[in-house]
Amino acid sequence: TQLLEQSPQFLSIQEGENLTVYCNSSSVFSSLQWYRQEPGEGPVLLVTVVTGGEVKKLKRLTFQFGDARKDSSLHITAAQPGDTGLYLCAGHMEYGNKLVFGAGTILRVKS
Amino acid sequence: ETGVTQTPRHLVMGMTNKKSLKCEQHLGHNAMYWYKQSAKKPLELMFVYSLEERVENNSVPSRFSPECPNSSHLFLHLHTLQPEDSALYLCASSQDDSGLSPPQYFGPGTRLTVL
């Protein structure tokens, strides 16, 4: 059983569509991070959310941290082919400061 | 350019070979990490070094041996690996200040294939 469950595992959409990726856990995290990984590269940090209920926006990307700090979502508006990649959520455990990753969501945006 | 470099980018080795992966960070960070990334599985944390001391070893088989000679360099020595060890090995670094959730900066990875 994975500590962080991401859904969906794979998403293929047309350019201009909206989408939401989910990251869920039964554990509480002190913070949660979202990374994007492109083929042949390592993950790159997109955002860190710290406060329960926090919402952060990065251009067309909106990140939300659940009130109980157990889950998070990433919403992309008007997806572009450049958004294609593997999206990873990672949570800092409340005790010990260990970073735990989800398995990721593969997003493909077709033009 | 993320400031973390890894060599080699690709490695094919037999089960009886000995090889080493190298990671270098140019960010002045005080912590470095080795992760294993396999398809459809979460990143698996293998080793953590903080201030050049190993602080975590996640039950990794002894055929993987890390070395951190200074705060900028991290090695992963490999010997007598198994085919199931084939994966992308990622190095990362961060600046660990107590009480914060530091972002990790990743290298591009070494794609390892064990025949």
Side-chain angles (χ1 to χ4, degrees):
Chain A
T1 304
Q2 299 176 12
L3 198 57
L4 274 170
E5 296 280 348
Q6 285 191 243
S7 62
Q9 290 185 338
F10 180 77
L11 193 55
S12 181
I13 61 172
Q14 290 294 133
E15 182 177 2
E17 293 183 2
N18 302 332
L19 67 117
T20 302
V21 174
Y22 300 93
C23 178
N24 295 299
S25 177
S26 57
S27 300
V28 177
F29 295 98
S30 59
S31 68
L32 198 134
Q33 297 173 340
W34 284 91
Y35 292 80
R36 182 171 70 205
Q37 183 177 15
E38 298 185 24
E41 300 297 329
V44 176
L45 179 70
L46 296 174
V47 76
T48 300
V49 285
V50 179
T51 307
E54 182 177 3
V55 177
K56 280 192 174 179
K57 292 194 174 184
L58 185 64
K59 297 183 180 178
R60 293 176 293 100
L61 279 59
T62 301
F63 305 85
Q64 185 162 8
F65 201 12
D67 292 341
R69 292 184 288 131
K70 293 182 179 181
D71 54 83
S72 181
S73 64
L74 158 60
H75 182 80
I76 301 179
T77 303
Q80 305 292 313
D83 296 327
T84 293
L86 173 67
Y87 288 81
L88 298 163
C89 68
H92 272 100
M93 300 298 294
E94 196 161 38
Y95 301 101
N97 203 29
K98 181 177 177 179
L99 188 62
V100 177
F101 281 83
T105 293
I106 297 173
L107 171 64
R108 186 173 71 177
V109 182
K110 296 176 284 187
S111 57
Chain B
E1 176 57 53
T2 64
V4 181
T5 58
Q6 289 186 243
T7 55
R9 294 294 306 274
H10 301 271
L11 178 62
V12 179
M13 59 187 289
M15 288 190 284
T16 59
N17 292 158
K18 288 185 180 181
K19 296 288 184 183
S20 295
L21 310 185
K22 179 182 176 182
C23 175
E24 184 174 0
Q25 59 99 357
H26 312 272
L27 301 169
H29 289 165
N30 60 8
M32 296 187 77
Y33 312 78
W34 279 117
Y35 287 89
K36 176 183 178 183
Q37 186 176 34
S38 304
K40 298 183 181 179
K41 293 174 67 175
L43 266 70
E44 299 172 47
L45 179 64
M46 300 175 71
F47 300 103
V48 181
Y49 277 82
S50 180
L51 298 173
E52 302 158 43
E53 286 191 22
R54 190 191 309 180
V55 297
E56 187 152 350
N57 172 356
N58 274 0
S59 302
V60 179
S62 59
R63 56 186 184 268
F64 295 92
S65 175
E67 178 189 0
C68 186
N70 55 61
S71 61
S72 299
H73 294 86
L74 186 64
F75 295 89
L76 188 62
H77 303 299
L78 316 171
H79 63 97
T80 60
L81 294 192
Q82 305 298 311
E84 59 264 29
D85 296 322
S86 298
L88 182 67
Y89 287 84
L90 290 163
C91 172
S93 70
S94 68
Q95 182 61 29
D96 276 2
D97 300 312
S98 60
L100 299 178
S101 302
Q104 293 188 10
Y105 293 81
F106 286 83
T110 295
R111 173 66 63 185
L112 173 67
T113 303
V114 182
L115 301 176

